[in-house]
Structure formats: C-alpha cells, structure tokens
Amino acid sequence: MTNILFAAEKSDLYLGDTIYYLILFAILLLAVKHFAWGPVTDMMEKRRQQVIEDIDKAADERKKAEILAGEREEQLKSSRQEATQILSTAKTNAEAAGKDILNQANEEAKNIREKAKADAIQAKNDALNEAQAQVADISVQIAEKVIAKNLSAADQKDLVDQFIKGLNK
C-alpha cells in the first residue's frame, strides 16, 4: 500500500504537496462559502421571495380583476334593465300622449261638426226667414196689383209665373 501512496513520487508529486493543496482547497472552499456562496444564496433567497411576492401579487390582481369584471357585468345588466325600463316607460308615455292627441282631435272634430251643423241650421233659418219676408213682400205686391186691377185667369197665371221667376233669382 505504501507503493500506492507514494506512487505520486514517481510523477514528482509529494505527499506534502498533496496535503498543502488539500489545505489550500479547504481554505478556498471556506473563502468561496463565506464571500461568494452566502451572498449568492442571499441573492437567490431574495429572488425567490420576490418571485413568491410577484406570484401572490398577480393572484391578488387576478382576483381583483375577476371581482371588477363581475361588478362590471352586474352594472351592465343593471344598465340594460334600466334602459329597458326607460324604453318601456317612454313607449307607455308615447302611447298615452298619442291617445290624448287623438281624443283631442276627435273632440275638436266633434265641436267643428256641431258648429257646422249649428251654422247650417242658422243659415237655413236665416234663408227661410228671408224667403218668408220676400214671400210676404211679394204677396203684398201681388195684393196691391190685384186690388189695383181685376185679373183674368191668364193674368193670374202670369203673376204666379213672375213670382216663381222672382224666387229663382
């Protein structure tokens, strides 16, 4: 076994050098652990914490977004219902206004018809009164003529014809 441990002697490597290198390697490992491994580990831990926070924050933001989306959906439904109600109310109001306008128009037409009837009756009565006055005047004139002269049957016929012609004028 001594041959194996000292086999390095043949290649010009001595046991003291090996121990020296092992001690240097151990010191180097301790230095790396102290100066590099600790800060790298701390940096990696901070990064891990940051990633966890980012994931948690993203989850919270997603939840908030879902809540906001739900609220917007509810507001949209509410807006749609309100718009439907407004349209329904407007339609009802328009129908009522249309009925009122139609009733007013019918009432005005009825009043115009009644006034036209009254005017026509008044015009008829005025025409009849005027015709009676004219007939009375003509009767008086005929009576004056009859009294003024004795009429024959032909004269009476002429007088009636003249009277009728006078009515047509």
Side-chain angles (χ1 to χ4, degrees):
M1 195 163 200
T2 48
N3 289 340
I4 296 175
L5 286 177
F6 297 111
E9 285 182 24
K10 293 182 183 176
S11 62
D12 296 330
L13 189 62
Y14 300 106
L15 182 62
D17 290 339
T18 304
I19 293 175
Y20 175 75
Y21 289 134
L22 284 175
I23 291 173
L24 281 179
F25 183 71
I27 292 172
L28 182 64
L29 278 178
L30 290 174
V32 166
K33 180 179 179 187
H34 180 68
F35 291 110
W37 189 256
V40 169
T41 304
D42 289 342
M43 182 182 70
M44 293 301 283
E45 182 61 27
K46 287 178 184 176
R47 180 68 182 140
R48 187 180 72 80
Q49 290 296 330
Q50 183 67 35
V51 168
I52 290 171
E53 288 175 12
D54 289 346
I55 289 172
D56 290 343
K57 191 183 286 184
D60 290 342
E61 293 295 323
R62 192 185 94 240
K63 287 178 185 176
K64 287 179 185 177
E66 288 174 358
I67 291 170
L68 289 175
E71 289 175 359
R72 274 187 259 135
E73 187 66 31
E74 287 297 320
Q75 289 173 351
L76 183 60
K77 285 179 184 176
S78 175
S79 296
R80 285 180 183 156
Q81 289 175 347
E82 187 176 332
T84 302
Q85 184 179 6
I86 288 170
L87 287 175
S88 176
T89 303
K91 183 179 178 182
T92 303
N93 290 343
E95 288 174 358
K99 287 179 182 178
D100 288 344
I101 290 170
L102 185 60
N103 289 339
Q104 288 176 353
N106 287 336
E107 189 65 31
E108 287 178 19
K110 181 181 174 185
N111 291 339
I112 290 171
R113 281 193 302 270
E114 288 176 0
K115 187 176 182 213
K117 274 185 181 178
D119 289 347
I121 290 171
Q122 184 63 38
K124 181 181 175 184
N125 289 338
D126 290 345
L128 286 175
N129 290 336
E130 189 178 328
Q132 285 178 349
Q134 287 178 357
V135 168
D137 288 341
I138 292 173
S139 297
V140 170
Q141 288 174 2
I142 290 175
E144 286 176 0
K145 288 183 183 179
V146 169
I147 294 173
K149 72 173 184 177
N150 223 351
L151 294 176
S152 65
D155 288 335
Q156 286 180 6
K157 186 177 182 218
D158 285 340
L159 253 163
V160 172
D161 287 341
Q162 286 176 1
F163 174 72
I164 291 173
K165 286 181 187 177
L167 287 178
N168 287 336
K169 289 182 181 179

